Amino acid sequence: MAQINFPQFLRRYGIKMLITSTPDIVPGTIIERRRKGYFKYGHLREVLGGDDKSWRYRLQPANFIYGSVERSLSLASRTRLNEFGVIIGGGLNRARSVRFDLQNVQARILTNRSKLSLIPELFAFRRDNRRAWNKTLNDKWVADYTYYATEVRFTFEAEGGVDLEADIADELVVSGSALVEWKNKKSFVVANTAEVPFGFSGWKL
């Protein structure tokens, strides 16, 4: 199975990584770029209005992804970890690094709206509400797609005899209906993780 490293994956497909992510980051979300990365600012529904149906979205395979995506992260000086909808609140002092292997990347996309239909609405809003535009939307990003890894394997690097499962099992929290399966003392798999996005693609206003 083909494998691609995470920075290359982000660059190739124009995906921006979310530093802090929550389930309410969905297509149509307004994203603000700050010094440390991209963060949720609001949602276009708050600006343009509309009912639930007009902002409905669906989950579908990200068809451009073949194989798995790999990301590595040093754990030096880290006491906790919050990645891909998984929070490890402690117990990492004996781990040197962690590798994430992402499988089955999927995307959410708006069902009844698109960039082509939103742009005229946004231009009209800017024309009629310049002050609100400058405060709320100017230089912000709009999320077209939000991306999810529905299965992630966490593999830790540590000394040979270290039992990371014993160290962090009680500190491990997953989102929603996600399931955790330990593969060995230094590796576990989280499945059903299609609730918290790791990134988005979209356009800048």
Side-chain angles (χ1 to χ4, degrees):
M1 179 179 289
Q3 191 170 66
I4 182 173
N5 66 56
F6 201 65
Q8 182 185 3
F9 162 69
L10 296 178
R11 288 193 303 270
R12 179 179 296 181
Y13 301 113
I15 297 174
K16 314 294 184 185
M17 187 173 179
L18 293 161
I19 302 302
T20 301
S21 188
T22 52
D24 61 348
I25 297 178
V26 295
T29 295
I30 303 167
I31 306 289
E32 181 179 38
R33 183 172 187 178
R34 304 175 191 168
R35 187 176 63 178
K36 292 186 177 181
Y38 295 90
F39 298 83
K40 180 183 177 182
Y41 185 85
H43 194 279
L44 286 181
R45 183 174 179 177
E46 301 159 7
V47 176
L48 301 178
D51 57 16
D52 289 345
K53 182 179 180 180
S54 66
W55 291 104
R56 188 174 296 162
Y57 46 81
R58 67 179 183 270
L59 184 68
Q60 63 184 33
N63 292 325
F64 53 77
I65 304 299
Y66 299 94
S68 61
V69 181
E70 178 184 304
R71 179 187 180 210
S72 296
L73 184 67
S74 171
L75 295 176
S77 303
R78 283 179 177 260
T79 58
R80 67 192 307 274
L81 191 66
N82 185 353
E83 298 282 342
F84 304 107
V86 177
I87 298 173
I88 302 175
L92 294 171
N93 54 300
R94 296 201 291 173
R96 291 194 292 263
S97 65
V98 59
R99 188 181 77 242
F100 311 100
D101 294 290
L102 286 63
Q103 301 282 348
N104 192 24
V105 175
Q106 299 198 5
R108 281 194 167 90
I109 181 175
L110 288 170
T111 302
N112 299 315
R113 290 176 182 253
S114 67
K115 180 179 179 180
L116 288 177
S117 67
L118 285 170
I119 285 177
E121 293 184 66
L122 289 166
F123 280 179
F125 180 85
R126 183 177 63 181
R127 182 191 64 231
D128 300 333
N129 304 273
R130 175 61 70 171
R131 182 175 295 179
W133 171 276
N134 289 338
K135 180 180 179 181
T136 307
L137 295 175
N138 192 46
D139 286 333
K140 304 295 193 303
W141 288 76
V142 174
D144 239 352
Y145 292 78
T146 48
Y147 295 95
Y148 308 79
T150 56
E151 181 177 304
V152 184
R153 182 169 187 142
F154 289 64
T155 303
F156 295 89
E157 181 186 1
E159 294 296 334
V162 171
D163 185 349
L164 264 296
E165 179 180 4
D167 288 354
I168 67 177
D170 291 339
E171 302 286 347
L172 185 60
V173 178
V174 295
S175 60
S177 58
L179 303 172
V180 177
E181 180 184 357
W182 282 90
K183 297 297 184 179
N184 54 54
K185 293 180 180 180
K186 297 184 180 69
S187 180
F188 63 85
V189 172
V190 183
N192 297 334
T193 55
E195 295 183 16
V196 179
F198 64 81
F200 76 97
S201 61
W203 75 95
K204 188 176 182 181
L205 297 171

